[in-house]
């Protein structure tokens, strides 16, 4: 008799094979809740695993073609790699070692690479610290951008602060190697602002992130012009105008050179040479 198997008496339930209705309901509810929680947890874990795998795949793919810092910036920005190119307003900075080619002829290969590694270890963190992205290492040269990967209203101020930081770090590097068998070369830099095209170029077997524009050519010419002006750094007056004068010079001073003829450029430029105080 099925009716005889059901009881509402706790003592009868514990002492016999009868079923206590409330206890069975509690069991069913507990099992149902635990099942639902496990189902949600498994589903969430699966989504996280898929997302992590996709992120790892994307990171590995980008790292095959780009320097780690560029790959990281591409993943974190809104740059669309599926389009041929994107136009951005950017500040372009070139850092170089004066006379390094001649110095390297007197160094062993090990000494050459050690000197470059020490130079990069000091200069690159300064650029990154002000929001810059390294586009290329050109031997002893470094090409960096501000506002190219991610639009930035403070690109000129950030780049100018980075340049001043680079000069101070370069001076500290030279001072640290006084008396060493290999002296540290002088660090030079040039900076300008303008419109650039940001994109991916190359063959599918070897791609490269790059920036293209007149400003890149100008900055390369300006870096060479530092020797003519006998200054460690040269920037265009457009940089100062966009920066708004909010940069701590910290032992450096500005010297204006209006209407300066720069070899390789069709029109004269209004330039500012940056030199150590005194």
């Amino acid at each position: 008799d099925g009716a005889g198997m059901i009881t509402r008496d706790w003592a009868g339930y514990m002492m016999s094979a009868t079923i206590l209705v409330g206890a069975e309901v509690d069991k069913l509810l507990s099992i149902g809740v635990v099942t639902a929680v496990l189902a949600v947890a498994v589903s969430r874990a699966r989504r996280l695993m898929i997302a992590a795998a996709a992120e790892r795949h994307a990171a590995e793919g980008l790292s095959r073609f780009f320097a780690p810092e560029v790959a990281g910036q591409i993943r974190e920005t809104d740059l669309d790699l599926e389009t041929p190119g994107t136009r951005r307003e950017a500040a372009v900075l070139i850092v170089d070692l004066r006379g390094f080619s001649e110095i390297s002829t007197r160094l062993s290969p090990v000494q050459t690479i050690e000197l470059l590694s020490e130079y990069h270890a000091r200069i690159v963190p300064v650029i990154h610290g002000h929001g810059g992205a390294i586009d290329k290492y050109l031997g002893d040269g470094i090409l960096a951008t501000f506002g190219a990967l991610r639009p930035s209203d403070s690109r000129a101020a950030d780049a100018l602060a980075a340049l001043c930081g680079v000069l101070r770090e370069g001076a500290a590097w030279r001072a640290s190697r006084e008396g060493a068998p290999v002296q540290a070369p002088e660090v030079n830099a040039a900076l300008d602002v303008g419109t650039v095209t940001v994109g991916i170029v190359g063959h599918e077997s070897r791609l490269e992130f790059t920036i293209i524009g007149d400003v890149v050519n100008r900055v390369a010419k300006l870096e060479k012009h530092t020797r003519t002006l006998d200054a460690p750094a040269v920037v265009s007056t457009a940089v100062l105008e966009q920066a708004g004068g909010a940069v701590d010079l910290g032992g450096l001073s500005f010297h204006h050179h209006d209407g300066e003829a720069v070899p390789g450029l069709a029109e004269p430029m209004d330039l500012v040479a940056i030199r150590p105080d005194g």
Side-chain angles (χ1 to χ4, degrees), residues 41-79:
V42 170
S43 176
R44 184 171 182 272
R46 183 174 181 274
R47 289 197 303 270
L48 289 175
M49 182 181 67
I50 293 173
E55 175 69 14
R56 179 180 177 184
H57 180 72
E60 290 176 348
L62 286 173
S63 297
R64 291 171 57 198
F65 305 111
F66 309 117
E69 65 272 11
V70 174
Q73 292 244 11
I74 291 174
R75 293 197 307 271
E76 295 170 4
T77 62
D78 59 357
L79 185 63

Side-chain angles (χ1 to χ4, degrees), residues 92-98 119-120 122-124 126-127 134 136-144 146 159 162-167 170 173 186-191 219-220 223 227 232-233:
V92 179
L93 171 68
I94 285 183
V95 183
D96 196 31
L97 292 177
R98 181 173 293 187
Y119 155 65
H120 289 150
R122 283 180 170 268
I123 300 303
V124 171
V126 176
I127 295 172
I134 306 298
K136 288 181 180 65
Y137 293 103
L138 309 168
D140 60 309
I142 300 172
L143 176 63
F146 299 76
L163 183 150
C164 292
V166 162
L167 294 184
W173 180 42
E186 182 179 10
V187 175
N188 285 358
L191 172 65
V219 170
E223 192 280 320
R227 296 147 180 81

Side-chain angles (χ1 to χ4, degrees), residues 250-276:
L252 303 170
S253 57
F254 289 158
H255 303 268
H256 290 262
H257 298 264
D258 295 335
E260 186 75 15
V262 179
L265 299 182
E267 300 293 333
M269 290 186 66
D270 293 337
L271 302 176
V272 176
I274 303 179
R275 301 185 178 94

